[in-house]
Amino acid sequence: MKTVGQHGEVWAFSENRDLMIELLGKGNELAQKLQTKLAAVLLGHEVEKEAKEFTGYGACKVYVVDDPMLENWSSESCVSALTYLVRQYKPEIFLFGSTRKGKEFASRLAMRLETGCVPDCTHLSIDDNGRLLMGRVVYGGNAVATQFCRVDPQIATVPPRVFEKPTYKKGEGEVIRVEAKLEEPRTEVVEVKEIEAPKVKIEEAKVVVAGGRGLEKKEDFKILDELAETLRGQVAYTRPLCEDRKWFTDWVGLSGHTIKPVLYIGCGISGVIQHVAGIRDSKIIVAINKDPEAPIFEITDYMVIGDLYEIVPALAVALKKLLKTG
Amino acid sequence: MLRIIVCVKQALDVTQIRADPATRHLITVDAPRKISDFDKNALEEGIKLKEKMGAEVIVLTATSEDAKMILREALAMGADRAYFVMDPSFENSDTLATSYILAEAIKKIGDFNLILCGEASVDSYSAQVGPRLAERLDIPQITYARKLSLDNDTVTVERTLEDRYEVVKAKMPALVTVTGETNEPRIPSLMAIMKATKKEIVTWSAEDLAISKEKVGETGSAIHVTEVLAPKVERKKVLIKGESAAEVAEALAKALIKEGVIGR
């Protein structure tokens, strides 16, 4: 066990700016607990401005590898830069953003350093021995596992919006420019197609009306759209509607978006554990389902056993009426 | 001939896991086992490539428990040969240790053109074994493939990221991890199941692969699990009743307004 003053730095890295700021907030808390410093890692080309910005979110140091080869986030170049930095400066904890690229980088870095990596952490704290305790959802949402890593650096990846963004204060951090020998990419990106982004991010919606297999046709979503509009909320989908029926591309659930709206209304959703894992932290959960045995009712505040094709439009009407007169 | 190795995990069927309500501990002993969903997509993709351009499809698993059933299923789907790497010492291996076992097995299998893995397993969902395996074998890797094609010594993949699709090329030998979007895994016919019983399953122990016991299982793992608990469920579970849809809807609307969750 290390004593005060012996702990290595806490580092954070994400190619996603918002997520990076969230990591800095949590990283700062961990660093304070260990009485060590928080550092941001920044890879890219001509990134001076961002380096300064990170110091305002709590980073005492910003390690910058500035190289044109890092501009398009090639895995080999980035992973080799990260490996070089860790070997040189020996952080104790390294937090990554759980984007798909971030998770790949973290896994590959962990392999090169022969250490562990706990992905998609929703809980991070320091135990009495000064180790990082990492909590994550496992078994398709059936459980939360608490894990620790006995090798340094202890690597964790963190999904978006798990931790709060800290407030910006003009910081006095040090920017450290590091020359690292980078590996050439072994893959070549030949084409990029943008996926059309939804107007409002589902994670940011206060009210979510979600539809599942109980909806027979894609067009039937217009009744959910109308209810969502009444509630100034967003419509969301389950994975089978995206992967099996190919109606949509983006789903809520363990492998998709995790949401915690103030109000969640599940329509024709049976509530398989993977979906439930993505909505569990909603404040109020309403479920509308024909099947009284549907597992979603196990985690529901208000249960309606009935036909969504009747209940959903009626609910929109009732709400319009009550909100007008109420 | 092209040689494709598909790594599959015997996963718990997570929909069949129950928790003890008193202790919140999971009851996994009697939960059924199956080929992890995305590994099955990887297998299907391998078999499709075989049908399209001719290839030998090898399926590989590493485990501390019996997993011959899933290998039989993989063979029935169309894999040519299976390697069953089993040793009790592998129990509680993390991804660091598991990728070591798989890498040693692949080195013994010999030359290959392509390794396919699922994007992640359905039970632990860490998405690390594929990337770690490619690192250990020092080959190019492409994660989260939704489309895949081969041309001479190049693999071309369309991968799904959060906000875009990337079309990426790599020289083979390479490793690709596959998402659930890629295909619909086939269900083998009775005939195929019968024929598969004649296909070979090679069984290897840790000793056969000269695997060092310090590098596997609990001792060889960097990650240690302190507890696994079912989440607490504290929900109101109020049943909204009424004579008609309109009545039910009105009662629900009133309840939600009272909760203060309806924005004005």
Side-chain angles (χ1 to χ4, degrees):
Chain A
M1 187 178 153
K2 291 172 189 168
T3 55
V4 170
Q6 288 182 327
H7 287 287
E9 292 169 354
V10 175
W11 283 15
F13 169 79
S14 180
E15 79 285 3
N16 174 311
R17 180 185 163 272
D18 288 322
L19 191 44
M20 182 65 181
I21 294 166
E22 291 163 16
L23 295 181
L24 289 173
K26 187 67 190 179
N28 205 0
E29 184 192 312
L30 301 173
Q32 280 178 16
K33 187 88 197 280
L34 291 172
Q35 302 192 5
T36 182
K37 283 183 170 157
L38 171 71
V41 172
L42 182 56
L43 308 180
H45 187 45
E46 292 167 355
V47 285
E48 194 70 34
K49 213 178 101 211
E50 282 160 281
K52 280 271 168 258
E53 188 192 15
F54 291 157
T55 65
Y57 289 106
C60 304
K61 296 180 183 174
V62 184
Y63 295 99
V64 183
V65 184
D66 196 315
D67 194 304
M69 267 172 81
L70 296 167
E71 219 164 14
N72 48 13
W73 305 108
S74 132
S75 291
E76 284 75 21
S77 309
C78 290
V79 173
S80 58
L82 294 166
T83 311
Y84 180 84
L85 287 172
V86 170
R87 292 212 167 114
Q88 196 71 19
Y89 298 98
K90 302 186 173 46
E92 185 160 320
I93 290 172
F94 201 162
L95 308 180
F96 278 79
S98 278
T99 58
R100 287 186 161 192
K101 272 196 197 284
K103 283 208 278 190
E104 185 191 314
F105 291 177
S107 303
R108 297 179 69 172
L109 174 70
M111 189 63 254
R112 290 181 182 202
L113 300 166
E114 304 221 4
T115 186
C117 168
V118 178
D120 303 324
C121 294
T122 51
H123 296 84
L124 292 174
S125 61
I126 303 290
D127 75 2
D128 296 341
N129 300 317
R131 301 305 286 176
L132 178 66
L133 283 183
M134 298 170 269
R136 68 182 298 252
V137 173
V138 291
Y139 297 124
N142 279 292
V144 173
T146 306
Q147 306 174 330
F148 69 92
C149 179
R150 54 186 181 84
V151 185
D152 284 348
Q154 306 156 68
I155 301 176
T157 82
V158 178
R161 294 179 188 82
V162 168
F163 299 118
E164 297 283 324
K165 279 198 182 85
T167 44
Y168 183 86
K169 283 185 290 222
K170 202 163 164 35
E172 288 299 312
E174 179 191 359
V175 176
I176 302 160
R177 294 180 156 270
V178 182
E179 294 284 329
K181 193 169 158 13
L182 304 178
E183 282 170 29
E184 290 289 336
R186 295 172 91 171
T187 58
E188 185 198 350
V189 179
V190 289
E191 194 187 341
V192 175
K193 306 178 205 171
E194 298 294 323
I195 300 175
E196 205 182 313
K199 272 171 267 152
V200 179
K201 286 185 179 137
I202 196 75
E203 286 89 348
E204 284 162 13
K206 292 254 191 307
V207 175
V208 171
V209 179
R213 272 195 275 214
L215 283 119
E216 286 152 22
K217 297 191 298 293
K218 190 179 173 185
E219 296 75 57
D220 296 345
F221 265 87
K222 68 175 186 289
I223 61 173
L224 268 61
D225 289 337
E226 202 189 327
L227 177 59
E229 204 174 298
T230 311
L231 292 165
R232 293 183 194 154
Q234 288 277 306
V235 173
Y237 318 104
T238 60
R239 184 165 181 158
L241 300 190
C242 302
E243 285 214 328
D244 303 340
R245 296 190 191 166
K246 317 260 183 217
W247 291 352
F248 311 101
T249 51
D250 242 17
W251 61 86
V252 164
L254 187 64
S255 57
H257 297 271
T258 300
I259 56 170
K260 33 188 171 185
V262 174
L263 174 62
Y264 165 94
I265 304 178
C267 310
I269 292 177
S270 66
V272 296
I273 194 85
Q274 291 91 333
H275 181 72
V276 168
I279 63 160
R280 183 173 276 139
D281 293 331
S282 305
K283 184 160 178 261
I284 293 289
I285 295 181
V286 175
I288 302 165
N289 203 304
K290 269 196 278 199
D291 175 11
E293 304 291 322
I296 196 163
F297 288 129
E298 288 301 311
I299 57 126
T300 300
D301 295 293
Y302 295 99
M303 325 196 276
V304 178
I305 300 168
D307 185 353
L308 76 93
Y309 284 92
E310 291 175 16
I311 305 287
V312 173
L315 182 59
V317 170
L319 282 165
K320 268 181 208 154
K321 195 178 87 187
L322 286 168
L323 292 176
K324 203 189 280 174
T325 56
Chain B
M1 189 162 49
L2 270 173
R3 196 188 236 184
I4 301 169
I5 300 176
V6 185
C7 300
V8 298
K9 177 182 180 180
Q10 170 161 279
L12 291 172
D13 184 343
V14 294
T15 60
Q16 304 285 320
I17 299 176
R18 297 281 164 267
D20 179 330
T23 62
R24 287 162 60 210
H25 287 287
L26 297 191
I27 304 158
T28 55
V29 196
D30 55 353
R33 269 66 172 162
K34 61 171 187 177
I35 302 178
S36 181
D37 301 27
F38 309 128
D39 297 354
K40 216 173 191 174
N41 293 111
L43 182 60
E44 175 66 32
E45 207 55 29
I47 296 163
K48 276 190 171 158
L49 288 170
K50 168 183 160 176
E51 289 166 347
K52 208 164 123 194
M53 49 209 312
E56 182 191 20
V57 176
I58 292 174
V59 58
L60 165 66
T61 194
T63 171
S64 63
E65 57 177 26
D66 188 17
K68 282 204 174 147
M69 283 288 287
I70 66 154
L71 294 178
R72 283 274 164 239
E73 188 184 347
L75 292 171
M77 280 174 69
D80 298 291
R81 214 147 33 99
Y83 287 88
F84 175 49
V85 183
M86 201 282 276
D87 204 287
S89 67
F90 297 163
E91 198 179 350
N92 295 328
S93 289
D94 68 356
T95 56
L96 176 69
T98 304
S99 59
Y100 164 63
I101 302 163
L102 291 173
E104 292 308 303
I106 289 168
K107 283 177 198 163
K108 187 158 171 161
I109 291 170
D111 289 342
F112 62 88
N113 304 88
L114 184 65
I115 297 176
L116 296 173
C117 299
E119 63 160 287
S121 63
V122 279
D123 49 5
S124 57
Y125 224 97
S126 84
Q128 287 187 55
V129 169
R132 281 180 184 262
L133 184 56
E135 281 289 328
R136 285 193 184 269
L137 298 169
D138 195 21
I139 54 173
Q141 60 174 292
I142 306 172
T143 49
Y144 302 104
R146 66 196 290 262
K147 280 182 197 161
L148 195 153
S149 62
L150 306 183
D151 181 24
N152 292 322
D153 60 345
T154 305
V155 53
T156 304
V157 165
E158 186 170 315
R159 67 191 297 235
T160 315
L161 296 175
E162 283 78 6
D163 55 352
R164 62 191 183 281
Y165 301 117
E166 277 182 359
V167 182
V168 187
K169 282 179 191 288
K171 283 258 179 287
M172 295 195 285
L175 182 145
V176 174
T177 78
V178 162
T179 66
E181 298 166 84
T182 317
N183 55 44
E184 191 66 50
R186 69 194 65 194
I187 296 162
S189 66
L190 195 59
M191 186 70 104
I193 295 169
M194 302 274 284
K195 267 166 97 179
T197 57
K198 294 198 189 72
K199 291 181 182 171
E200 189 187 10
I201 297 182
V202 180
T203 305
W204 283 337
S205 67
E207 213 172 18
D208 294 328
L209 295 174
I211 274 175
S212 131
K213 295 262 159 110
E214 293 80 61
K215 290 168 97 174
V216 296
E218 193 114 19
T219 12
S221 294
I223 299 298
H224 286 248
V225 179
T226 58
E227 64 175 24
V228 178
L229 289 178
K232 278 191 207 132
V233 182
E234 282 159 4
R235 290 284 171 188
K236 296 191 177 79
K237 294 194 189 175
V238 177
L239 179 65
I240 304 284
K241 287 183 231 163
E243 291 295 314
S244 63
E247 259 186 56
V248 171
E250 186 159 335
L252 177 58
K254 280 180 177 161
L256 295 178
I257 290 169
K258 213 170 157 193
E259 285 282 356
V261 293
I262 307 278
R264 293 299 315 267

